[in-house]
Each structure stands twice: as structure tokens, then as C-alpha cells.
Amino acid sequence: MRYWDIFESELGPIKVVCDDEGVLGVEFNREGLKEGQQKTTELTKKTALQLKEYLSGERTEFDLPLKPQGTEFQKKVWEALLTIPYGQTRSYKEIAVQIGNEKACRAVGMANNRNPISIIIPCHRVVGADKSLVGYGGGLNIKIKLLHLECPGVTWKNY
């Protein structure tokens, strides 16, 4: 069974989606993922708490069971994203090289775009090779806020 709950944050409403085994989704939009029931569970509460701690600057790593749903390629990309340390960024090409397919930059971008567990799987830490800020599923304004939280004082090329 899927459960979801919404909590308010400085980024707007965030929906957390879980099942009995792990976190399935973190999204910035109240729409979508209509299946399941709205219910606060221990895991939705723990996820919301860790996200609030992260957004307030008190947490740099998450300790949650993640269960993203996607293709094997997407999961490989998302696993690589989890290795990007707090306060650092990587380019799409660096992620492509890390997963063993340096020509897969566009496919890495598409997998990034399909990341169902925003913030926790840190797709916001992926930037253009020239440090330009490129798309983000939650909107570029949210990506900028997340990067400023983690990398204060860094200037981004197109910001």
C-alpha cells in the first residue's frame, strides 16, 4: 500500500510518498501520485522531519530507506547522484563517466529529470559543465535555493 502526506516548507508544499518498505517519492507539487491514501506513517513523519532539518541547515545527509521506481539505467544514475557530497556539484558528463558511459550525458539528464525522490536523491547538485544552472523538476528557483543552502557564496554562470 502507498501512503502519502504533505508538509509545508519554505519551498512550498512537499509531498512525501512511501510504502511499508521505503520512500517512493518526494515532490514539490500537490498534484500527481494520486494513488494510495493520505496518511501520516512513521516513515512519512521521519522523512518530513529529515527534510525540514536539511532545509534549516541542520542535516547534510539522509538516513532513510529509499525505494525509487525506474529503469535499471535510471536507478544507476540515481545511485551515482547519491555519491555527490553535500555542498558539491557534478556535471552531467561526470555522472555519465561515473556510471561507465561517457556518451550518455543526455540520458543522464533525462534520468535526472525523472528522479522521483527530490532533494534526498540530490539531482539539484547536477549542473552544466560550465557551472550553468540547467533544468530542475521542482523549478529552477527551487534548485537555486537548494544550491545556495549547500554552497553559499558560489556564483552560478546563468544566475
Side-chain angles (χ1 to χ4, degrees):
M1 180 72 174
R2 287 180 178 220
Y3 307 103
W4 57 271
D5 204 2
I6 296 172
F7 72 94
E8 292 298 325
S9 78
E10 52 268 30
L11 302 176
I14 295 179
K15 181 188 266 186
V16 174
V17 182
C18 301
D19 66 11
D20 294 325
E21 299 171 3
V23 179
L24 303 170
V26 171
E27 59 183 52
F28 298 104
N29 186 339
R30 290 178 189 246
E31 301 305 314
L33 286 177
K34 301 258 188 213
E35 57 187 86
Q37 70 181 64
Q38 184 170 10
K39 179 179 177 183
T40 301
T41 66
E42 286 305 311
L43 187 53
T44 62
K45 280 196 297 193
K46 183 176 179 181
T47 304
L49 175 64
Q50 288 192 21
L51 285 165
K52 288 175 186 176
E53 291 170 346
Y54 165 82
L55 292 170
S56 69
E58 298 171 33
R59 174 177 289 278
T60 60
E61 293 181 12
F62 294 92
D63 178 26
L64 297 162
L66 303 181
K67 198 174 158 192
Q69 306 296 301
T71 67
E72 289 308 311
F73 179 81
Q74 289 169 335
K75 289 177 183 178
K76 198 173 188 180
V77 170
W78 301 334
E79 287 172 21
L81 299 180
L82 287 167
T83 69
I84 305 171
Y86 181 92
Q88 295 184 27
T89 60
R90 299 289 184 271
S91 70
Y92 292 96
K93 176 148 185 142
E94 288 172 313
I95 297 297
V97 168
Q98 183 177 340
I99 65 169
N101 189 347
E102 72 178 81
K103 296 186 187 289
C105 296
R106 285 186 192 268
V108 165
M110 291 305 294
N112 231 29
N113 184 279
R114 302 243 191 285
N115 173 15
I117 307 177
S118 296
I119 301 176
I120 297 170
I121 297 178
C123 56
H124 62 278
R125 294 179 187 155
V126 181
V127 298
D130 62 354
K131 295 290 185 203
S132 61
L133 299 182
V134 288
Y136 184 65
L140 203 52
N141 60 330
I142 290 178
K143 182 173 187 164
I144 291 165
K145 288 177 182 177
L146 294 172
L147 288 173
H148 279 295
L149 171 69
E150 293 189 21
C151 311
V154 173
T155 303
W156 306 100
K157 184 171 182 181
N158 59 339
Y159 171 69

